[in-house]
Amino acid sequence: MLLAVTDLIEDGSVTENAIEYCESLTRAFVARFSEFRAEGESPNPIYPYFHLCSDRFWHHRLKPGQRESYNRLQTLTSLSQVEQHIAYAYLDDELFELLGNHSVRELLRAALLENTRVTSQDRRARLQVDGWDWLECEACVQDYFQMLGMELRREPYSKTAHRRTLMTKLRNRSDGSVEFKHQNISAILVQLGFPYISGYKPRFNYQAQLRGAVLAYIAGHSGDLEQVSAVRDLGHTPYIGRWDKVLDRDLPEPIPMPQLPDRKYLAHRVNYSQREAENRSLGESGEQFVLEFERFHLRQAGRSDLADEVEWSSKKHGDGLGYDLRSFPVGDDGVAREEEMFIEVKTTNSGKYQPFYISHNEVEFSREFTQQYNLYRVYDFSKSGRRLYRIPGQVENHVRLNPVIYRAGFR
């Protein structure tokens, strides 16, 4: 049955983790059964479809009101019993994601066909990839998430020590290649909207196989990620660094969006960016940071009078203005101008490339006041070296806006 399911995933018949008892499944099962049948045996896919639940990776989604009747069943003998009790079967999320990868399917088939008597060399041969194979990608992903978890919990760790341990599991990889693979993982997490290790700048030319390993890890560890990704009101400390080192004059590079197969992914349960957007403490701390940054620059320009007039507008007048602070611009020549500048602040504890949420009202305000508007993106806020970059003018001239929420009203 499991071989039949892998075949259906491979040919695109199964795109979601919902395996219905249907003609395509029974046809695939019969085809696989014919390879192993002994004399006198006949295929009956109902049996494995039901009894695979004794293993921990196969589960049934029951139809409403059938739990009590289903629990009394010892076996199934007819299609009508399946139709009465079971809506569909499903696999562990991590297994389903893994089966979306060709190399993993080949390894699983080899293990099933040869009763797990596959040597390490056989596994390597069956991976059939140039460069990093699946097992190496998986080891690198596991190492990355260990470090990410410690970073989110604000625990110290050594990237060098992690890399040395990881390299014992790889095939003669250099320090540079391991570093590059970690940067690839950062890129995948940015595209998924997950937090990433800001010390590993995202590099987007990654293997499709590496993305599969990341998706599989997330699907199998959603509970752990839910815990470590939780944004807490941790009482952000005042900034004590050098204000002249805060501004990052380079905007993030464009983030390419990959062309994905037509299938449903399971690795989207922890919405880190949305949580940060809803974290009022983090938002207010970021706004206060920008307020102090603006006052510093105006004083540096010799305009203490204007520095005293910088207004924390969202705190004074409430949300909904379309911006958070009112300040005054300082040109590249160091001269401050006596004209209003409106600043929207977006703050993240993650790195420079972390996606952010912006409201329709804020986008419209940036369009109407293009010459006076700046979006300040504060990043690495939980670290001592917090920084920011500025997006001037109309927001959509710099970023790709994806609609993710609608307001519903009755007609």
Side-chain angles (χ1 to χ4, degrees):
M1 177 59 71
L2 192 53
L3 286 171
V5 170
T6 64
D7 293 339
L8 295 177
I9 291 174
E10 186 161 282
D11 70 17
S13 298
V14 171
T15 59
E16 299 185 21
N17 194 11
I19 305 158
E20 297 180 351
Y21 191 89
C22 58
E23 183 180 350
S24 61
L25 178 65
T26 58
R27 187 167 54 248
F29 175 85
V30 170
R32 283 295 184 176
F33 186 87
S34 64
E35 299 177 26
F36 311 105
R37 63 181 299 175
E39 186 175 351
E41 290 182 334
S42 58
N44 190 343
I46 289 176
Y47 292 149
Y49 190 80
F50 177 76
H51 289 289
L52 269 177
C53 273
S54 61
D55 294 302
R56 290 181 294 176
F57 64 84
W58 184 275
H59 315 277
H60 288 152
R61 176 71 65 193
L62 302 185
K63 292 187 175 179
Q66 296 301 314
R67 171 65 63 183
E68 186 175 343
S69 175
Y70 173 86
N71 288 340
R72 292 196 298 266
L73 293 172
Q74 300 298 315
T75 188
L76 292 181
T77 57
S78 67
L79 177 60
S80 62
Q81 288 179 301
V82 176
E83 293 174 340
Q84 176 186 343
H85 295 93
I86 302 172
Y88 56 83
Y90 61 97
L91 304 171
D92 284 348
D93 285 349
E94 185 172 17
L95 176 58
F96 182 75
E97 291 290 357
L98 287 169
L99 291 178
N101 180 271
H102 170 78
S103 296
V104 175
R105 289 195 300 269
E106 288 303 306
L107 284 174
L108 178 62
R109 286 166 178 157
L112 292 172
L113 293 173
E114 300 178 26
N115 195 27
T116 71
R117 294 192 299 270
V118 185
T119 67
S120 177
Q121 291 75 19
D122 290 334
R123 288 190 177 94
R124 294 286 184 191
R126 288 187 172 92
L127 290 173
Q128 297 178 345
V129 295
D130 297 325
W132 289 59
D133 64 35
W134 175 269
L135 299 179
E136 290 181 298
C137 289
E138 195 170 52
C140 198
V141 168
Q142 290 171 355
D143 176 67
Y144 186 102
F145 275 98
Q146 287 177 3
M147 291 188 289
L148 178 60
M150 287 186 283
E151 181 158 307
L152 291 174
R153 292 189 296 268
R154 303 186 184 181
E155 298 173 2
Y157 67 94
S158 168
K159 292 179 181 176
T160 300
H162 268 262
R163 184 168 61 251
R164 287 172 179 166
T165 301
L166 173 63
M167 290 173 71
T168 64
K169 306 174 185 179
L170 308 177
R171 294 183 296 163
N172 300 318
R173 302 297 179 185
S174 67
D175 287 351
S177 65
V178 173
E179 177 98 359
F180 195 88
K181 195 60 62 175
H182 280 137
Q183 291 178 297
N184 286 157
I185 296 171
S186 289
I188 295 167
L189 293 177
V190 167
Q191 290 175 328
L192 292 173
F194 274 73
Y196 70 98
I197 300 172
S198 58
Y200 289 124
K201 178 183 177 180
R203 292 183 179 270
F204 294 93
N205 52 334
Y206 54 77
Q207 293 170 277
Q209 179 166 249
L210 181 64
R211 182 184 175 88
V214 171
L215 289 168
Y217 185 93
I218 293 173
H221 298 81
S222 58
D224 296 339
L225 293 171
E226 181 79 22
Q227 182 178 2
V228 301
S229 296
V231 180
R232 299 177 179 90
D233 294 340
L234 296 175
H236 301 284
T237 58
Y239 181 64
I240 57 174
R242 292 181 54 180
W243 287 104
D244 59 336
K245 298 295 184 182
V246 166
L247 180 61
D248 180 353
R249 296 187 180 278
D250 297 322
L251 293 179
E253 300 167 10
I255 299 174
M257 298 307 294
Q259 294 295 320
L260 301 178
D262 185 18
R263 58 180 289 253
K264 184 177 181 179
Y265 291 92
L266 304 172
H268 294 275
R269 294 180 176 172
V270 183
N271 194 326
Y272 184 84
S273 297
Q274 184 175 0
R275 276 183 166 169
E276 286 196 321
E278 295 170 350
N279 185 338
R280 192 168 190 85
S281 173
L282 177 65
E284 288 186 355
S285 296
E287 290 171 18
Q288 183 173 4
F289 174 73
V290 172
L291 179 76
E292 295 170 4
F293 171 80
E294 285 297 294
R295 286 173 174 168
F296 166 81
H297 268 277
L298 287 166
R299 291 188 181 111
Q300 286 290 100
R303 295 301 302 267
S304 294
D305 57 329
L306 294 181
D308 293 339
E309 292 187 34
V310 176
E311 178 186 87
W312 192 345
S313 305
S314 63
K315 197 173 187 68
K316 182 176 181 179
H317 304 292
D319 295 329
L321 297 173
Y323 64 96
D324 297 312
L325 281 81
R326 188 207 65 188
S327 185
F328 305 92
V330 177
D332 293 337
D333 56 3
V335 177
R337 300 196 302 274
E338 297 177 0
E339 57 186 55
E340 289 184 317
M341 178 175 66
F342 304 110
I343 301 172
E344 174 65 28
V345 182
K346 302 293 182 182
T347 307
T348 180
N349 286 322
S350 190
K352 180 176 180 176
Y353 287 82
Q354 186 71 34
F356 58 86
Y357 279 72
I358 184 168
S359 72
H360 176 75
N361 184 48
E362 291 161 357
V363 172
E364 287 299 318
F365 190 90
S366 77
R367 291 170 179 165
E368 185 175 352
F369 295 90
T370 300
Q371 301 302 318
Q372 299 168 267
Y373 182 88
N374 275 271
L375 187 149
Y376 282 34
R377 179 54 161 164
V378 182
Y379 64 91
D380 284 341
F381 194 73
S382 61
K383 301 177 182 178
S384 59
R386 59 189 68 162
R387 302 194 70 190
L388 65 84
Y389 59 84
R390 297 186 290 206
I391 299 176
Q394 205 165 320
V395 173
E396 62 260 53
N397 289 342
H398 304 276
V399 301
R400 179 176 53 250
L401 297 177
N402 299 317
V404 294
I405 191 168
Y406 296 89
R407 184 178 66 181
F410 290 101
R411 297 179 179 179

